[in-house]
Amino acid sequence: MSNPLASNGPTIERVESWIISIPTIRAHALSMATTSEQRIVLVKITTSNGDFGWGEATTIGGLAYGDESPDSIKLTIDRYFADMLIGRSILRPALAMAAINQSCVGNYFAKCAVETALLDCLGKHTEMPLSELLGGRLHDRLSVAWTLASGNTERDIAEGREMIAARRHNIFKLKIGKNHWQDDLAHVRKICDALGEQASIRVDVNQAWDLPTAQKAIPALTEAGVELVEQPMRGADHAGARELRLLGTAAIMADEALRGGVEPALAICVSRSADAISLKIAQAGGLTPCRDVARIGVAAGLSLYGGTMLEGSVGTAASAHLFSTLPNITWGTELFGPLLLTRDFLTTPLTYDDFSLVVPTGPGLGIEIDEAAVSECAET
């Protein structure tokens, strides 16, 4: 059998990107913004032998959440990254990403999309799933949380009950922080009372609180039945987050604090400012940096959660491949992004059943893009 890595291999001939817009099935309310449409950046890398790989970058909450937008991501890829990629061998994705990282600071979401496409190309060329390129799959299924974020308590309860009955989700994350903490507490308590015996309940504050508010709210939320509180304060406030950990209540999870990958993860570990970390391939700048973040967290004794930027099917599949290689994801994952969209852009959608996502098994990402659907949803 010939070695597919024995030669220089196919080279990159074309790099294309699109912004596609897909409405969500309902409004998705965060503390800083409400989303009713996802604008997704898709990247396609075509090689000299006619193969191609796909990547995705999706943001949430607009510029109120982070400093990259779909428009800036597409511009960065088209104007800066593409020229650095053309002519490179697809057998050396790490070398290509090293060149991009040396030339461009930040731009983590754009880098993630390109690295995903490069690894998809390599996986298809070597006929190996992404999970095997990333170290080897340990899980064929990943538990998946659903975020209850309609903004209406009774609607969230009804939605949660439907998910449990359908055996699609029995882990729920509630988006809070937009209202006064006592109003949010009343909202959370009702949901815990209605669903708590059948499900795990967590909350995500998206940095909305200051320390005094968090010190009052988190013990009350814990008493109501909340197990995990995600990013209650500004990501940079490591000292405050450490004080919250010392309350000994619900676990404190870092999310936005991890933007940038390895260095922020090290800062969290040194400051002991979290019990858990939310792994997001886009925030880390790609699959391999996100894997490094996971390893740092495990070495420091932190538990892991597989997070999402509400990606569509490409980013979700990429995340699933990485998360499937991690020995223990204590808090499960949140890879429900495609289910929040009114339409998919795969020929065969990802499989969700029995409270979990089935990790694709084919070469590369293991998915097939419906390019007609991409064209129909693409912004002009």
Side-chain angles (χ1 to χ4, degrees), residues 8 10 16 19 26 28 31 59-60 104 120 147 162 164 169 175 183 213 244 288 317 328 349 354-355:
N8 289 330
E16 303 169 274
I19 298 175
R26 56 145 168 82
H28 192 78
S31 63
T59 64
I60 181 174
C104 303
D120 190 29
T147 296
E162 288 175 10
I164 294 170
H169 306 279
K175 290 287 189 179
D183 294 329
T213 301
L244 296 181
T288 51
N328 187 17
D354 201 24
F355 304 117

Side-chain angles (χ1 to χ4, degrees), residues 12-24:
I12 297 170
E13 287 196 340
R14 190 163 65 253
V15 179
E16 303 169 274
S17 70
W18 299 264
I19 298 175
I20 64 173
S21 299
I22 304 178
T24 56

Side-chain angles (χ1 to χ4, degrees), residues 10-14 45-53 88 90 121-122 125:
T11 56
I12 297 170
E13 287 196 340
R14 190 163 65 253
I45 290 177
T46 304
T47 70
S48 56
N49 67 345
D51 287 339
F52 46 83
R88 288 186 174 273
I90 60 132
C121 284
L122 179 59
H125 183 71

Side-chain angles (χ1 to χ4, degrees), residues 100-139:
I100 287 174
N101 284 320
Q102 186 175 16
S103 300
C104 303
V105 300
N107 292 284
Y108 302 111
F109 286 60
K111 288 175 180 176
C112 178
V114 167
E115 188 197 37
T116 300
L118 289 170
L119 290 171
D120 190 29
C121 284
L122 179 59
K124 289 172 178 172
H125 183 71
T126 59
E127 299 184 352
M128 294 177 66
L130 228 64
S131 54
E132 302 311 307
L133 297 178
L134 293 168
R137 178 178 309 197
L138 297 172
H139 314 285

